[in-house]
Amino acid sequence: MLEYSEQNRQWMQMALDLAEKGRGTTAPNPLVGALVVKNGQVIGKGYHERAGQPHAEVFALEEAGEEAYGADLYVTLEPCCHYGRTPPCTERILEAGILRVFVALTDPNPKVAGGGIAALRAAGVLVEVGLRGDQARRQNDVFLTNIGKQRPFVLWKNAATLDGRTAAKNGHSQWITGPEARAEVHRLRSQLDAIVVGSGTIIADDPLLTARPLAAGMTQPLRVLLDRQGRIASDAAVLQDASSPVLWFTEQEGMETSGLGRHVEVVHANPGTMQPLWVLAYLYAAGVTSILLEGGPTLVNAFWRDRLIDKIQWYVAPKLLGDDGRGALGALHCENMAEAAALFDVHCRPVGGDWVFGGYTPWNAGLITGNEGQ
């Protein structure tokens, strides 16, 4: 295996940075960036911008033009080798006369799964796999979850005080964090396919569940309401606002739905079946690849119990509410610290006057690190 130089690493980092430009617009496709390098100079770059449009390699090779002959290609995900909505990227790479390809991550899609690398090597192209692979896996955690678990990726977002309280005793929670943190959450909403909340959140806060302001080229998320007993009133703001579709899940028959616009679809589940995994399966079949879980402790506990939360993003404000404040989670029944769920790949950073902590849940270690079964 090639021992990568610092320059190799820098060029793959540039490709990863390019891939990041597609966040929020490529679903159900992965994030991919590509760089064409020749004689120590970048001569072409590209990223996958939107599903159905050319892949990153095509944009990079088009920019490089005839100079791509004999050059190196850095790509964050294995080039595809099958016909889908676009032709195989492997054919385009071979036509361009690329000499060597650096691949960060093998594509887990069964339609590729090493086939693109094999096709390039069979044609005489030198292929090196694994450069900055850990970063590539984390960048495409949504895609890896979709392929590996056949369900949407679930990110739980929470805002709490320094002592872990999400609301005052009377339920008042606006605002725990400052404007910078709240703006970041709105950007996060626009990057994921759907927002999921329970009826308690709608009744307590009457939120719109939209991304505000919405950046150019982005779309509003699908808004998903889990309301088993049909408690949400038909005049709730989220039901009256038509800026994006709403899926209203319930087990209650005969709910009042008069006056609702065409943007609202009521999904009736059989009594006792509206469990988190059933909801995720429904959403995945509808094309949802990622969700932002913004519910209260009852809903979050249900997802946590079934190990359906993949990552946590927790905003912490330097405020205290004390024991009479409301917590983010119900009982996890941990009798000692050895039973506590320890996140991994944890990071933290300041956001205005607050802090944000993020990390993957322990049951996702194998998927994110690529060491399943080890």
Side-chain angles (χ1 to χ4, degrees), residues 18 32 42 69 98 131 134 167 172 180 191 315:
L18 285 167
V32 186
V42 175
Y69 187 86
I98 290 292
L131 176 58
D134 288 347
H172 186 262
E180 296 87 352
Q191 293 171 353
Y315 293 86

Side-chain angles (χ1 to χ4, degrees), residues 2 13 22 29 43 79 85 138 168-169 183 199 201-202 207-208 214 216 240 243 247 313 321-322 329 332 342:
L2 177 69
Q13 185 61 58
N29 292 352
I43 60 173
R85 297 171 72 177
R138 286 157 176 76
K169 185 178 181 179
S199 57
T201 296
I202 300 299
L208 286 174
L214 187 66
Q240 295 301 315
S243 59
L247 279 183
Q313 192 139 315
L321 279 172
L329 275 170
L332 296 183

Side-chain angles (χ1 to χ4, degrees), residues 19-31:
E20 199 62 31
K21 292 183 176 183
R23 186 168 296 279
T25 63
T26 66
N29 292 352
L31 299 171

Side-chain angles (χ1 to χ4, degrees), residues 55 57-58 79-84 86-93 95:
H55 291 180
E57 302 94 317
V58 174
C80 65
C81 54
H82 65 287
Y83 281 89
T86 58
C89 289
T90 50
E91 292 185 4
R92 183 69 180 84
I93 292 169
E95 290 171 0

Side-chain angles (χ1 to χ4, degrees), residues 112 234 248 332:
V112 185
S234 59
W248 187 2
L332 296 183

Side-chain angles (χ1 to χ4, degrees), residues 117-372:
I117 293 169
L120 293 174
R121 286 174 172 166
V125 178
L126 300 175
V127 182
E128 294 291 342
V129 183
L131 176 58
R132 293 199 182 274
D134 288 347
Q135 286 179 246
R137 293 191 73 86
R138 286 157 176 76
Q139 185 176 65
N140 268 311
D141 49 12
V142 171
F143 183 64
L144 292 175
T145 300
N146 297 161
I147 298 296
K149 298 186 177 183
Q150 292 295 294
R151 64 163 175 80
F153 177 83
V154 179
L155 172 62
W156 173 33
K157 185 279 299 181
N158 186 56
T161 60
L162 194 59
D163 54 348
R165 304 302 172 181
T166 60
K169 185 178 181 179
N170 64 0
H172 186 262
S173 62
Q174 298 179 340
W175 298 103
I176 293 176
T177 54
E180 296 87 352
R182 298 200 300 273
E184 184 171 290
V185 170
H186 279 283
R187 289 195 297 272
L188 191 61
R189 285 178 171 182
S190 71
Q191 293 171 353
L192 300 178
D193 291 346
I195 301 173
V196 175
V197 301
S199 57
T201 296
I202 300 299
I203 293 169
D205 299 335
D206 197 25
L208 286 174
L209 301 179
T210 54
R212 305 183 299 276
L214 187 66
M218 308 297 280
T219 58
Q220 290 287 1
L222 171 70
R223 296 169 290 179
V224 179
L225 315 181
L226 305 187
D227 183 21
R228 179 178 284 109
Q229 298 176 355
R231 301 168 59 212
I232 298 174
S234 59
D235 62 352
V238 69
L239 297 175
Q240 295 301 315
D241 175 71
S243 59
S244 69
V246 175
L247 279 183
W248 187 2
F249 286 85
T250 186
E251 294 178 359
Q252 185 69 38
E253 294 289 346
M255 292 191 315
E256 176 57 50
T257 58
S258 61
L260 297 182
R262 288 182 294 178
H263 67 287
V264 179
E265 178 183 349
V266 179
V267 180
H268 285 101
N270 293 325
T273 64
M274 210 179 84
Q275 301 300 318
L277 187 58
W278 181 89
V279 172
L280 290 183
Y282 187 102
L283 293 175
Y284 193 60
V288 174
T289 66
S290 60
I291 71 170
L292 185 63
L293 186 63
E294 291 198 27
T298 300
L299 181 63
V300 171
N301 262 45
F303 273 78
W304 186 274
R305 178 196 62 223
D306 293 343
R307 295 190 168 190
L308 295 174
I309 293 177
D310 301 302
K311 191 176 183 181
I312 295 173
Q313 192 139 315
W314 189 299
Y315 293 86
V316 179
K319 302 174 182 177
L320 300 171
L321 279 172
D323 286 346
D324 52 350
R326 297 185 179 183
L329 275 170
L332 296 183
H333 307 293
C334 298
E335 296 188 4
N336 54 65
M337 289 305 298
E339 296 178 357
L343 304 183
F344 75 96
D345 196 34
V346 176
H347 63 270
C348 63
R349 54 182 169 80
V351 183
D354 308 306
W355 284 80
V356 60
F357 294 79
Y360 293 98
T361 48
W363 44 83
N364 279 320
L367 182 70
I368 299 302
T369 62
N371 294 321
E372 295 97 333

